[in-house]
Amino acid sequence: MSTTTTTTPTVTEQQSTPTLEKGYIGQSIPRREDKRLVQGLGTFFDDMRRHGMGYVHFVRSPYGHAKIVSIDVSKALELDGVYGTITGDEVAIHTEPFFEMSVEPGANIKDYALAVGRVRHTGEPVAAVCAATRELARDAADLVEVEYDPLPVLVDAEESLKDETVLHDDAGSNVVWSGVFDWGDIDQALADADHVVKIERLHFHRFSSTPLECAGALVEYDKGTAEWTLHCNHQMPGVGAIWMAPALRTGIDKLRFVTQDIGGGFGNKICLHPQYVVLCLLARKLGRPVQWTEWRTDQHTANAHGNERTFLDIEVGVMADGTMTGFKVRALDDCGAFPRYEPLGCIIWAQVTPGLYGWRNIRVDFTQVCTNKSPVSPNRGYSRMQHLWLTERIADIVATELGIDPVEFRKKNYVKTEQMPYETPNGCVYDSGDYAAALDIALDLIDSGSIEDRRKEAAARGKLLGFGIGSTLDSGTNNFGQSTLLNPDLQFSGNNEAASVKLDIFGEVVVTLGTVPQGQGHETTAAQVVADILGCSPEQVNVRRGHDTWFNSHAGFSGTYASQFAFTGLGAVKGAAELVRAEMVQLAAAVLQAPEEAIELADGFARIKDGPEEAALPFMALGAIVNANNAFLPPDFNPTLNHRYVCRPYFGMVDTEKKTGQLTLTYATQIHAAVVEIDPETGVVDVVDYAAVDDCGIRINPQIVEGQVHGATTHALGAALSEEFVYDEEGTLLTSNFYDYHVPHALDMPPLKTGSMESPSPVAPLGAKGMGEGGGGGIHCVCAAIQDALGAAGKAIVYTSCNPPHRVWSMLQDPEATRANVSVVSK
Amino acid sequence: MGTPAPARSRAISLEVNGEAVEYEVPARRLLVHFIRDDLGLTGTHVGCDTGNCGACTVHVDGVSVKSCMLLAVQADGTRIATVEGLAADGELTALQRSFNEHHALQCGYCTPGMLMSATALLEQNPHPNEDEVRVALQGNICRCTGYVNIVEAVVAVGEGTS
Amino acid sequence: MLLREVDYARPATVEEAVSLLAAHEGARALAGGQTLVNVMKARAAAPDVLVDLVDLAELRTIGFSSDGLLEIGAMVTYTQLVGSSEVEVARPILAEVAATIADVQVRNRGTVGGNVCVSDPTNHLPPLLVVLDASFTIRGSGGERVVPADEFFVGVYMTAVGEGELLTKISVPPASDTGDGFSGVTIGKHGTYVVDAAATVSGEGARIAIGCVAATPVRATEMEERLAGGDFSEDAVREAAKGLGASLDPPSDVHGSADYRRSLAETSAVRAVLQAVERRKR
Ligand SMILES: Cc1cc2nc3c(=O)[nH]c(=O)nc-3n(C[C@H](O)[C@H](O)[C@H](O)COP(=O)(O)OP(=O)(O)OC[C@H]3O[C@@H](n4cnc5c(N)ncnc54)[C@H](O)[C@@H]3O)c2cc1C
Ligand code: FES
Ligand code: FES
C-alpha cells in the first residue's frame, strides 16, 4: 500500500507567478482516455487497415560489422504476393543522408535509411520487402540473398577510441564529438581539498525503457499532391519531419504525421526516421499503402538503446568537514553505430551538472564514440540519469571511504532550500525545492531509524541488509540552444509548444494539442486546465486524441519528451483557453449589456455575477452566435472563439564560450530510498522496502503524477537489477528478448511507498514542473543499498549500474577487485 | 474414418465473444493475427515475439492463454473471449471501472491483456489478495505503471470497494 | 513472429497420431505449443507437419496404476497438475514446482509431456523427474516401451522419444518415507532457472539432480554417496556438497559464468536436500 505525506514548503522568497485558483487543477480526476482503452477500443497504429495495403519486412544484418558485397532480391520478387523490394543502393539514389548535428568528425557521418555498402550493427536493415500478408513478407525476406564480408567489430568504447578500426570512413574517426566543460577552478579546488577521493572507473550500462508497443507506421502516398501521410507512433513528429523532409528531398508540408493512441514511448520512439523513410519510399515506389510493425527482437537489436557511459579518472575534492568542493571526470559515451539524436546527449546532462550538490568546481572531459551496437535514442531520464548516477555514486563512495553517514553527508552537501533559486556553476537555475526535507520524508517512509535492527535481524537469517538513497532531479523543458554548445553553427534555440482551443456551435469545447501523448494522460490534464479557465466541467471539454500535424496546431519542437508537458504543453493550453475566455467574456458582456468585469464564466454559463438567473448565456449560445448567427455583431467586433497559442518559454541565449546558460527551466526533485537484502551465497538481491518522494511543484492531477513515479521507479529497478543489453565480441546482442532482457513483472516488484511535497515552480505557467522521467532514482538508491549491504562482506564498491545476481556474487567473491578502483589521498 | 490428412489450411468454426465464426485459415496463422487481422478485433495486442508479455491474452474455453502461442487452427471448436467482449452490452465491468478509478493504465497497451488475466482470476477467485493478484498477473508485462495501481484495482473489485 | 508454411493434422486417437508422425518425415507432435510455436515463430524450427495432440483425451488424465504409481498423461497441463488431488496426495512437489513454471497463461497450456520432450536444460521438470525416479511410456508404431528417467533425457532437445513416436505418460512412485526439495536461482521471480537442483531423501539416502549445467540433468552422484549414511544434518549436507561444482562443466552466458553456476549448483543442491529433509520430517 502506498502512503502519501504532503508537505508544502513556503515559497515566500520566490517571485511567484500568478497561478490559477485550484478548481479541477490539483484533483485526481479519473482519466478521460481510459474508457476506450479498457474496452480495447483504443486505436494504435497497427490497428489501421487500408485497402490494398502491403506489409513490410526488413532484411537485417546478422553481422555486427561487415561490408555488403551483394544483395540479390530476385528470388523474393518471384514469390507470389510480393509487391516489391528496396535496397540500400536505391535509398542512396533517392534520398540524402540524414542531417547530422555534430561538428567534425561526427558531422561527416553518412546515415541513410538503409545500410549502404556496409552494415555497422547487428539487426541493421539492409533491404525491405513488401507483400500482401505479414507472413509472405517474411517468407520473401528470407529469400533475399545478401553476401557479407565481415569486418573487425567494436563493442567497447575504449577500444573504439583508438580508431584502429573506423566505422565511418567519411568521418575518419569513431569520435562523434568531444569537448571539455570547465566551470570554476577544479585544479585549485583539488589542491585546497583536505581529501581527494579518486575513482578510476564507473560504468553506466545500456538498457532502454522498451515500451510495450513496438515502433511502426502505416504510410500512404498521394501521387497527385506528392504528400505522405504517416499513421504512426512517432513521439516527436516535429523533429522527425526535420530529419525526414530534407532526406526525402521535400518540404515538411508534404509529411503528415498522425498519431492516435501510442503504447508507450519513453524517448524510444524519437529516432524512427530511418525506417519511416524506407516506408515512404516504398509507398511511392509501389503506389500502395504500406505498413510495418517492428518486432520486439528488432526493437531490442536495432532501434533505440539508452546511452552507455563510462566515467574515468574521477577525482573529488572534499574538505575536512565533509563538504565536497568539486570533481573532475572523463566521460566516454557510447552512442552505438549512428549518432541520430546524438550528440545531444553530450550536453543534456549539463542541465544537472552538480546534481543536488553544492559543488562549484567541475570539469567534465566528454567524448562520444560510435561502436558496432544498436544506435541510441533518448531514453527516460535521457543523459541526465547517467550523470546523476555518477554524482550519486560519488556521494556514496566518498561518504563510505571517509566514514561519514551517507544521509548526513547528503544533507551537508545538498543545495539548501534557502539558496533557491540556485544558479549552478554552469548557469542553470534550480527553480525551487527542498532536498533535505524531501529526504526526511523518504527516511520516514522506510522507517530509517530501524535499519540497524533490521540489519541484525536479516543477518540472523543469513542475509546481508543494506540501505541506500538516490537523489535526483528531473529537469524539464529543454532549451534547444544547448545544442549550440556542441555545434555553434546549429540553428536551434529555445523551445515552443502549441495548442488550440475552440468553442463550437453547440457549446462544445474542443482542444487540440501539439504534444503527442503516449500514456501521460494529456487528454485529462488539459481538460482540467481548460475547465478551470472556461468555468465548465472537464467532461464538457473534448481534448482530441493524439496528434495530426495537419489539423493540430503544432510547433517546431512539438512532442512529448523532456518532461515538459506541464510547462509548455499545458502552458499552451492555458494560453489558448485564456484567449477564448477573453472573447467569451466580451461576447457575453455585449449580449447581456453589462460591463466585462461583471461577467463570470461558471458552470458552463457566461453570466452576470450575482445577477438575475436569466442574465446567463450557456456556452451553446456563445458558440452559436459566433459560428452561425453573427449578423447582429458590430463590424469591428469579430470574435472567433477559436485560438491557437504557442507557449515559448524564455531562456535567454547560451554562452558558447563558457558553455553556460539556462539549459532547462524547471527541476522536479526525486528522493528514493531502498532497503535490500542480499543472499550472500547466490548474490540474489531482494528489494524489501522502498520509498519514492517526488516534488514536482503544483500537481495538476496527483494520481497521474503518482502513476508516473511508479512507472519511472519500475524502469529504474529493472535497470538496476536485470535489464541490460549485453553484446558478445562479434557484436551479437545476447539479450534480444524478454527472456534474457528481464523486465520487472508484478511478482518482481517490491511494495512501493510514495510521498510527495509541492514546491511550486516560480517560473512555470501553472507552478507545475515537468516530471515523469525521473532521474533514475531507483538505480542510484539500489546501487547504494547494495554497496551498503556488501559493507559487511568485504566492502565491495558498486561500480556498475546494473547488478544482477551473478555480478553481486562476483563482488562477494572478490571485493578487492572493485576496491582497487578507489583511493583516498588525505592531507 | 481414416487418419485425417495434414493440410495447409483448415476450415475452423468457433465462437468469438458469443458469436459464431467460420473461417478458412492457413495452418501457420497465429491466433492473435487471426483475431486482429481477420476478425478485426484489434483490442488484443502484440507486445513481443516470444510469449513473454501477455498483451495478447484472451480466453479460450474460459481459460486465459497467450494468443500469440496458439495457431488459429488450434482454436477450432473453441469458445474465445477477447477484451471487446467484456463490456459487450456497453456497460463497463466492475474491473474495467476499477482500472479507471485506480489509474491502472497509462498508455493502455497492456490493458486488454491485463483485464483478461484479471477477469480469469476473479472468475476463479472472486476475492483475491494482493499476492494472489500478483501471481495471476505475472505473465502480463506493463512498462508504464509499475503494477501498483493495477494490483490495487483488481483487489478492490474483490473487496467490493470498486 | 511469423511461421513458415506448415501442414496441420488433428488425430482423434493415439494410434492415428503415431501413424501420422511415422508417415510424414519432418512431422512433430504439437502439445501445448508453449515452446514449439515460439521456436517456429523464430523459424528456429520449421516442421513440415504438426500433429496436434489436443483431442487425445486419454493423454489428459492423472491417475494411479494397478501397482500404485502416479500416472500423469503427457497432455496434462501444469494447471491440471497444480489442481490435482492425486498429485497432492502422492507427490505434492510436482504441483509445487509446476506452480512456478512461467505464468498462469503458460501453465494453462503447457504440458508435462511437452516440458520433458523439449528437454530444454533450463526446464523445471527434467531434474525433478530424475530424482523422483519417474518412468516414461513411449508409444510407436511397433508398440509401447518404458524408459527410466536416467535414460530418457539424451541431449538438448533430444530424448528417448524417437521419430514417429509419442510420449504417452509419465509414472512417478508415490512418496513413502521420502521428502522432496527443489531450489535454485531464477531470472526474476518464477522465472527461468540459471541453475536448479532437485532432491529426494529417504532413509537410504538421497537422489540429487542439477539442472541448467549440462545438456541434461546431472546426478550429483558423489554427493549422493556421501549422504548414503543417512546423516542429513546441515553440516553433513554442506560437507557432502563440496566439490560438486568442480565436477561440473556448466555453460557461461549473460546470466552467469561457469564459476557462478558451479557455486550455485552446490548451494542449490544443499538447499534442495535440506528442504527435502525438512519435508520428510513432516
Ligand atoms: C514465457 C515462457 C516462459 C517459460 N519458462 C519456463 C520455465 O521457466 N521452465 C520450464 O520448464 N518451462 C518454461 N517454459 C516452457 C513451457 O514449460 C513449455 O510449455 C514446455 O517447454 C513445452 O510444453 P508444451 O506442452 O508447450 O509443448 P510443445 O511446445 O507443444 O512441444 C515441445 C516439444 O515437445 C514435443 N512433444 C510435446 N509433447 C510430446 C509428446 N507427448 N510426445 C512426443 N513429443 C512431444 C513437441 O513435438 C515439441 O518438439 C516457458 C514458456 C514460455 C512461453
Ligand atoms: S504478444 Fe503474446 S505474449 Fe507477447
Ligand atoms: S499501461 Fe502502458 S504498458 Fe501498461
Side-chain angles (χ1 to χ4, degrees), chain B residues 46-48 51-54 56 66 68:
Chain B
V46 175
C48 70
N52 298 86
C53 79
C56 62
K66 293 176 176 173
C68 72

Side-chain angles (χ1 to χ4, degrees), chain B residues 47-70:
Chain B
C48 70
D49 14 283
T50 47
N52 298 86
C53 79
C56 62
T57 302
V58 301
H59 296 179
V60 173
D61 290 333
V63 166
S64 62
V65 305
K66 293 176 176 173
S67 62
C68 72
M69 284 193 294
L70 237 72

Side-chain angles (χ1 to χ4, degrees), chain A residues 739, chain B residues 51-52 69, chain C residues 28-36 38 53 74 78 101-102 106 110-111 113-115 117-118 123-124 161 166-167 191-192:
Chain A
Y739 288 98
Chain B
N52 298 86
M69 284 193 294
Chain C
R28 280 259 204 124
L30 174 62
Q34 303 300 286
T35 295
L36 186 52
N38 259 350
L53 309 182
Y78 310 135
I101 297 178
V106 171
T111 66
N115 195 291
C117 285
V118 77
N123 268 10
H124 286 46
V161 182
L166 209 58
L167 172 72
T192 307

Side-chain angles (χ1 to χ4, degrees), chain A residues 98-110:
Chain A
F98 294 112
F99 147 79
E100 293 293 334
M101 284 190 274
S102 192
V103 290
E104 289 184 356
N108 298 330
I109 288 173
K110 288 205 171 51

